[in-house]
Amino acid sequence: MEYTGHLLSWIIFLPLAGAVLVTLIRDEKWIRLVALGVTVADFAVSLPLWTQFDTTTHAMQFVERVPWIKTFNVHYAVGVDGISVLLILLTTLVTPMGILCSWQVIRSRVKEYMIVILVLETGMIGVFCSIDFFLFFVFWEAVLIPMYLIIGVWGGPRRIYAAFKFFLYTFAGSLLLLVAILVLYFLGGETFDIQALMESTYSPTVQIWIFWAFFLAFAIKVPMFPFHTWLPDAHVEAPTAGSLFLASISLKMGAYGFLRFCLPMVPDATIMFAPMLIGLSLVAILYGSYMALAQTDMKKLIAYSSVGHMGFITLGIFVFNAHGIQGAILQMINHGITTGALFLCVGMIYDRTHSRLISVNSGVGQQMPIYVTLLAIFSFSSFGIPGTNGFIGEFLILVGAFEYNMAVAAIALPGVILAAAYMLWMLQRIVWGEHTRDNETPLEDLNLRELSTLIPLVVLVFWIGFYPKPFLGFMEVSVEHLLTQVHTTQPLTLSQVFGGS
Amino acid sequence: MTPTLADVGGVLPEMIVAGFACLALLIEAFISKSSKRDILPITALIGVAIAAFFTVNSMWDSRAVMGGTFLVDPFSNYFKLILYMATALTIMLSMNYLKQEGINVGEYYAFLLFALCGTMITVSAEDLLLVFLGFELTALSFYILAGFKRFRQKSMEASAKYFVIGSYSSGILLFGVSLLYGLAGTTNLTAIGQHLTSTGPGLDPAWILALILLIIGFGVKVAVVPFHMWTPDVYEGAPTPVTAFLSVVSKIAALAVFIRVFIEAFGGIQDIWQILLIILTVMTIFFANIVALLQTNIKRMLAYSGIAHAGYGLIGILVATHMGTYAVMLHLLFYVFMTMGAFGVVIQLRKNGLESEEIEDFAGLAKRQPVAAFIMLIFMFALAGIPPTAGFIGKFYIFMAAVHADLTWLAVLAVIGSGISIYFYLKVIMVMYMKEPDGNVTLSTSQPAIIALAIAAITVIVFGVYPSPAIDFADQAVLSITPPVIVATP
């Protein structure tokens, strides 16, 4: 039965409509309220994705397809499957929190700020919904603009440097993606339809070129190991909401790109380069964790922990088995929840003490018991204590890695221990450390607004931790289908690659 | 040969534009300075509108008039419509500027119209001599316009420099034309094309020399590296609306004639000139974008940005396919609005009562003038080719045409070149949004300028989101020159 509704279009464009509405409002209080209302409404609108999603098929659901540029067979085509559905829900869930955490902190140019966040939400959801490669690229590039402005206008002291670095890195990565899309268009029979492009096969030489274009674009976005240097800068300088969106959603676009395009479209080349990709993932896990150990700035610590966690995710993707990929997708969600929450926590303490240094904030636990309880929960989930979401994700990825190769798993394992080390070390100093702040005024514990951003995330941490079945159920069939797409082909040999095209 | 009524009908838009130019001169002479200065720009706008009406009327005609030297076809009409839009935007942006700068004299509008008339002749020309004639009419008007701020040294310098290099390049072009006449016995483009196909392989080397001379002649007008040397100085010195006009109108007309000459006359020997143009294109894109990184003057920066965009345009020409040709046409249509818009914001910015030309002068514009800053942001992202703006669509189809013609490596180079450009466009946005405002910079707007900017900004966004009408329009317009000329892609 053909789907005739417009659910996805509503989810994508409601925030954009909200942005237009916000331009008409003058009063700052109302601007905040309208922006919050629109994003909450968008979350409500997106809930049918959870209730009506059919978990028994790998086909795209809620599909809308309208010709857009007829001459070139470009369609406005959106749809979701098990890989993207949770990411969309995560986006609609996290955006209201981004607005709530900026409620009092952002005092200059509130209107522009809210407009930019709403536009960003449209772009982010659009990336995960697009099933037309042209449309995907439009959203993929368009999200750079609001993110650049969030970091550059409302960021910290080195915001301009960080904003430029973020933009230039990501933009440079996607340049070749554009050419790859064009090449695929002509080889795949003059279509941008992702489904059709997955079904046609490409010669080994072409696959390798396209793989490298994909790799550059997505690896920078993830970011994988040698391309990660923009991330700590962007995270540290961005306002809390900026860090939240970067960590929770923006980074997932890269991993999503690998799953959606790289694996199914150029499987032979991906399998051929898998050892390199796994190697880079392992380096990211260990290197990111070691770097996190050395940080004194809480935000930087979490930023480097992100590098490590994203390493686990890419590791799960490139072991090419059901456990690994399911774990990777679940870990994408987990990382969005947990790391997003940790950035929110850092933002809350920064609002009170105006410092993100661990040494300055040590010992706040005595004054803010609720805060440190929540901080502890998210820290535990970050290094994957059983009973939290992080455990399920990392466990699945490690199982997948064991199935692939014992040595790979053995190398990744210390990453888990290191994660526990830096998280506990930070936690210990924040909760029980010596007071170091002068002229002490007692810190207020969390207020209702702040609690309302963290409580839903706590619920999710334990929900996924104790009962991950519904979440895994969403992706099972889609992942199996993805694996058949990858495994129907034989790995490339060098003679095939260099022998002919 | 006496012109018939049909001949006159064919050149009616050109006659109207020239007539209104003369009318503007008369008004300037006979109406006293104190009364109603605005009558001049309004007269000019009416002239453009009437000419546009007749062009639209004969939009899909396809005929040759004036003894086969002058074509009225969708291709030329398409370009004429672009040129009308550019001229109308220039007039609207000039009105307030001229008053501020104290150069509000009627000759200005007369020469704008004469320049427009010259470019119209160029895009319609089917004969190389007529191409030359159109070029000269345009160039002579521009020499004067560039020096319009006659009490400013830089403006005089711009005028003189442009004159020297322009005349020299005209000489080179004319030499190429005379060589061609000697070889083919005609200056008619189609006849040259037929001569080439009938002679078959074994080409006289003089053909190649003639080709190179033509490329140089056109290259100077388009401002292709390495024939671009005049642009930065002229662009900086000329009054800003003239700079905008120059960078749009003269470039577009030259690229249009580039398409016509190289595809109609030399389509048969595409393999020979393609490699020359590839070299020029790669040089243009990389050189212009890298040098633009270093500019602190926004007019110079936009000059180099325009050179780079001409480079993208050349890609569409050198692939010599249907798709390539209309990718250029589309790209140029969008280029008008992006560039005119960007210059439009620059025109209105004033520092201590003088023109404000440094990028640093944009500091904090977003705080003082959020709307102006936002509009500039749109144009910058459009020039950088970031979706969802029309600039992205234009570049996308150019690169697509390159991939289609099996020149994927050229597309890769062009994409990398345009990747470099993002930095200087971002820099303008950074200065506007992330720096604190400077006390002396103000915005001097006027109603017509606001309308012009609104038109440009809306067009850039609307065609970025829904480009189908523009694409279909360009697609139909290019059909007229395609069938007899295009050689099969290699």
Side-chain angles (χ1 to χ4, degrees):
Chain A
M1 194 185 72
E2 195 88 342
Y3 174 76
T4 52
H6 297 285
L7 182 67
L8 289 175
S9 292
W10 275 103
I11 301 174
I12 298 173
F13 293 110
L14 188 66
L16 194 65
V20 175
L21 183 64
V22 166
T23 56
L24 306 174
I25 307 173
R26 279 171 180 276
D27 185 43
E28 284 189 1
K29 191 182 139 208
W30 279 101
I31 288 173
R32 289 191 176 96
L33 282 172
V34 168
L36 181 66
V38 167
T39 51
V40 171
D42 203 40
F43 177 62
V45 170
S46 70
L47 282 178
L49 284 185
W50 176 271
T51 53
Q52 292 172 21
F53 188 84
D54 180 0
T55 53
T56 59
T57 171
H58 64 79
M60 287 288 168
Q61 302 178 36
F62 304 98
V63 173
E64 294 168 45
R65 185 181 290 278
V66 188
W68 181 16
I69 307 171
K70 282 202 183 112
T71 336
F72 289 109
N73 208 4
V74 175
H75 287 81
Y76 168 78
V78 289
V80 289
D81 67 355
I83 297 172
S84 54
V85 63
L86 290 177
L87 290 165
I88 296 164
L89 286 165
L90 179 70
T91 311
T92 54
L93 173 73
V94 161
T95 314
M97 295 172 185
I99 288 178
L100 277 174
C101 77
S102 321
W103 206 258
Q104 285 172 341
V105 191
I106 301 297
R107 296 193 175 281
S108 70
R109 302 198 230 174
V110 178
K111 185 192 270 194
E112 284 94 333
Y113 185 81
M114 294 302 171
I115 292 171
V116 163
I117 286 189
L118 290 168
V119 172
L120 181 66
E121 184 178 12
T122 289
M124 293 188 301
I125 300 172
V127 166
F128 295 129
C129 288
S130 305
I131 52 172
D132 182 282
F133 224 151
F134 184 91
L135 184 69
F136 170 83
F137 190 78
V138 167
F139 281 123
W140 172 270
E141 292 268 275
V143 289
L144 295 181
I145 303 174
M147 207 54 182
Y148 169 73
L149 291 174
I150 288 182
I151 300 173
V153 178
W154 293 277
R158 288 167 72 238
R159 61 205 157 89
I160 294 175
Y161 170 77
F164 262 88
K165 200 169 177 182
F166 161 77
F167 199 108
L168 293 179
Y169 258 78
T170 330
F171 189 73
S174 48
L175 288 172
L176 290 181
L177 179 63
L178 176 64
V179 182
I181 292 175
L182 288 170
V183 171
L184 286 172
Y185 170 81
F186 286 112
L187 291 177
E190 311 227 335
T191 177
F192 287 109
D193 181 55
I194 286 171
Q195 217 71 40
L197 292 178
M198 284 177 190
E199 277 157 23
S200 34
T201 48
Y202 311 98
S203 75
T205 325
V206 170
Q207 283 206 24
I208 286 178
W209 282 107
I210 291 177
F211 169 81
W212 281 106
F214 281 166
F215 172 73
L216 263 184
F218 302 140
I220 289 177
K221 197 90 178 177
V222 167
M224 287 178 77
F225 164 62
F227 308 111
H228 67 280
T229 59
W230 64 268
L231 185 72
D233 285 313
H235 267 318
V236 169
E237 299 306 323
T240 304
S243 299
L244 175 70
F245 293 136
L246 263 182
S248 294
I249 299 142
S250 208
L251 304 190
K252 308 302 172 305
M253 288 178 190
Y256 172 78
F258 277 122
L259 285 171
R260 172 69 78 228
F261 304 108
C262 199
L263 260 55
M265 284 182 194
V266 288
D268 304 341
T270 316
I271 291 177
M272 180 179 163
F273 287 108
M276 175 197 81
L277 296 162
I278 289 173
L280 290 178
S281 305
L282 292 175
V283 174
I285 293 172
L286 298 178
Y287 173 81
S289 309
Y290 268 115
M291 287 300 283
L293 267 177
Q295 301 307 319
T296 52
D297 180 316
M298 292 168 78
K299 232 177 174 182
K300 234 179 183 160
L301 186 146
I302 298 167
Y304 275 109
S305 84
S306 275
V307 174
H309 285 134
M310 293 310 289
F312 269 108
I313 292 171
T314 48
L315 176 66
I317 293 174
F318 295 117
V319 298
F320 306 118
N321 55 45
H323 285 126
I325 294 182
Q326 283 192 18
I329 300 175
L330 188 67
Q331 193 62 7
M332 280 155 78
I333 307 298
N334 292 341
H335 181 259
I337 295 166
T338 305
T339 310
L342 284 171
F343 276 119
L344 286 174
C345 288
V346 175
M348 288 166 191
I349 197 78
Y350 180 78
D351 295 344
R352 290 172 173 73
T353 63
H354 303 289
S355 171
R356 290 186 303 257
L357 292 180
I358 297 175
S359 54
V360 174
N361 292 323
S362 70
V364 300
Q366 283 98 322
Q367 292 166 352
M368 302 170 67
I370 305 174
Y371 172 78
V372 289
T373 311
L374 292 173
L375 181 68
I377 290 171
F378 293 122
S379 304
F380 292 155
S381 117
S382 175
F383 64 83
I385 271 195
T388 62
N389 57 352
F391 174 73
I392 310 285
E394 284 186 357
F395 181 76
L396 280 171
I397 291 172
L398 285 172
V399 169
F402 264 110
E403 285 169 14
Y404 177 81
N405 186 327
M406 191 82 91
V408 167
I411 298 172
L413 214 49
V416 183
I417 300 160
L418 283 172
Y422 61 74
M423 272 300 167
L424 286 175
W425 194 49
M426 176 187 86
L427 200 60
Q428 178 248 327
R429 284 184 292 170
I430 298 285
V431 180
W432 296 286
E434 293 273 322
H435 289 273
T436 49
R437 292 177 310 116
D438 318 327
N439 55 32
E440 194 96 357
T441 45
L443 299 172
E444 278 174 47
D445 212 337
L446 301 188
N447 59 29
L448 200 60
R449 173 178 59 79
E450 289 166 329
L451 276 176
S452 68
T453 63
L454 291 182
I455 294 298
L457 298 176
V458 173
V459 173
L460 279 170
V461 164
F462 290 119
W463 186 1
I464 301 179
F466 283 108
Y467 191 60
K469 200 160 170 271
F471 295 87
L472 291 170
F474 273 107
M475 60 189 80
E476 252 161 19
V477 183
S478 292
V479 169
E480 243 149 60
H481 177 70
L482 177 66
L483 284 169
T484 61
Q485 284 175 315
V486 176
H487 284 307
T488 44
T489 46
Q490 290 296 311
L492 291 179
T493 58
L494 284 177
S495 64
Q496 262 178 306
V497 176
F498 297 107
S501 57
Chain B
M1 184 198 78
T2 44
T4 61
L5 204 58
D7 290 339
V8 177
V11 294
L12 197 57
E14 284 77 7
M15 288 170 68
I16 290 167
V17 170
F20 270 85
C22 297
L23 186 65
L25 286 176
L26 285 175
I27 292 174
E28 166 67 18
F30 290 107
I31 287 187
S32 70
K33 290 229 187 285
S34 52
S35 69
K36 313 262 184 302
R37 273 293 175 201
D38 284 347
I39 196 166
L40 280 162
I42 290 167
T43 311
L45 278 177
I46 291 172
V48 173
I50 296 176
F53 172 77
F54 283 105
T55 302
V56 170
N57 230 2
S58 59
M59 180 73 209
W60 305 112
D61 288 6
S62 196
R63 59 205 162 99
V65 295
M66 297 288 174
T69 57
F70 190 94
L71 287 181
V72 182
D73 61 355
F75 179 76
S76 61
N77 285 338
Y78 176 90
F79 276 102
K80 278 177 201 170
L81 290 180
I82 295 184
L83 296 170
Y84 295 143
M85 281 185 278
T87 313
L89 290 175
T90 311
I91 293 170
M92 287 194 267
L93 290 169
S94 300
M95 291 165 74
N96 190 39
Y97 176 88
L98 294 183
K99 283 178 206 157
Q100 299 267 350
E101 291 287 312
I103 49 173
N104 192 12
V105 285
E107 288 87 350
Y108 178 86
Y109 297 104
F111 284 119
L112 278 187
L113 291 184
F114 278 129
L116 170 66
C117 184
T119 56
M120 289 163 68
I121 294 172
T122 323
V123 299
S124 270
E126 167 72 351
D127 191 291
L128 283 169
L129 283 178
L130 205 58
V131 170
F132 179 76
L133 195 75
F135 269 156
E136 284 307 284
L137 179 55
T138 317
L140 285 170
S141 312
F142 271 125
Y143 301 147
I144 300 167
L145 285 171
F148 228 77
K149 291 201 299 190
R150 58 191 182 287
F151 38 82
R152 288 279 290 276
Q153 209 174 353
K154 273 194 174 171
S155 184
M156 299 303 293
E157 182 197 329
S159 177
K161 228 173 216 173
Y162 190 24
F163 177 69
V164 172
I165 295 181
S167 321
Y168 197 72
S169 76
S170 299
I172 292 176
L173 179 64
L174 211 51
F175 187 36
V177 173
S178 65
L179 260 182
L180 276 180
Y181 183 71
L183 289 164
T186 175
T187 49
N188 183 286
L189 293 176
T190 317
I192 294 175
Q194 280 162 355
H195 183 85
L196 263 179
T197 41
S198 64
T199 47
L203 209 55
D204 191 331
W207 280 97
I208 297 171
L209 180 61
L211 262 180
I212 291 174
L213 291 173
L214 282 193
I215 289 179
I216 295 174
F218 294 152
V220 172
K221 303 284 174 200
V222 184
V224 174
V225 175
F227 314 116
H228 70 287
M229 294 298 183
W230 58 277
T231 31
D233 286 335
V234 173
Y235 280 23
E236 189 188 347
T240 316
V242 174
T243 309
F245 194 55
L246 190 61
S247 68
V248 170
V249 163
S250 128
K251 198 163 281 193
I252 287 174
L255 278 169
V257 78
F258 224 123
I259 300 175
R260 170 105 67 195
V261 169
F262 278 81
I263 290 185
E264 260 183 29
F266 301 118
I269 51 169
Q270 186 237 2
D271 48 336
I272 294 177
W273 53 263
Q274 187 178 50
I275 184 71
L276 290 175
L277 285 192
I278 286 178
I279 295 168
L280 288 183
T281 303
V282 173
M283 271 165 53
T284 303
I285 292 176
F286 275 88
F287 182 86
N289 281 329
I290 289 171
V291 176
L293 296 176
L294 309 171
Q295 304 305 317
T296 56
N297 180 300
I298 186 125
K299 280 162 81 177
R300 288 179 86 94
M301 189 206 96
L302 287 172
Y304 283 110
S305 139
I307 295 173
H309 277 85
Y312 308 133
L314 280 185
I315 296 178
I317 298 176
L318 66 86
V319 299
T321 56
H322 176 84
M323 186 187 272
T325 309
Y326 90 76
V328 195
M329 292 166 71
L330 201 62
H331 175 67
L332 292 177
L333 170 68
F334 298 150
Y335 174 77
V336 170
F337 294 102
M338 302 186 288
T339 307
M340 278 310 224
F343 274 114
V345 179
V346 177
I347 285 170
Q348 302 183 35
L349 216 60
R350 303 194 73 82
K351 186 178 189 179
N352 300 329
L354 290 173
E355 266 188 277
S356 185
E357 295 178 351
E358 297 300 310
I359 294 176
E360 284 303 312
D361 293 339
F362 280 82
L365 192 68
K367 267 196 184 143
R368 303 251 206 90
Q369 302 284 348
V371 178
F374 179 68
I375 285 181
M376 191 68 175
L377 174 131
I378 293 176
F379 295 133
M380 287 295 117
F381 278 127
L383 285 167
I386 299 207
T389 61
F392 167 70
I393 305 286
K395 268 190 197 166
F396 186 83
Y397 288 124
I398 297 248
F399 299 150
M400 191 177 207
V403 173
H404 181 238
D406 275 338
L407 290 169
T408 308
W409 61 272
L410 183 63
V412 170
L413 283 181
V415 160
I416 292 171
S418 85
I420 299 170
S421 74
I422 187 70
Y423 182 81
F424 57 85
Y425 297 121
L426 270 189
K427 197 166 81 180
V428 176
I429 296 166
M430 180 272 283
V431 169
M432 290 192 305
Y433 277 86
M434 303 168 196
K435 291 234 163 138
E436 286 307 306
D438 175 2
N440 301 321
V441 179
T442 54
L443 206 65
S444 164
T445 52
S446 63
Q447 203 100 42
I450 290 172
I451 295 171
L453 281 183
I455 292 173
I458 290 169
T459 315
V460 166
I461 290 293
V462 167
F463 280 149
V465 176
Y466 190 65
S468 284
I471 292 174
D472 293 342
F473 190 51
D475 192 19
Q476 278 174 308
V478 76
L479 278 178
S480 68
I481 76 156
T482 309
V485 280
I486 298 272
V487 286
T489 40

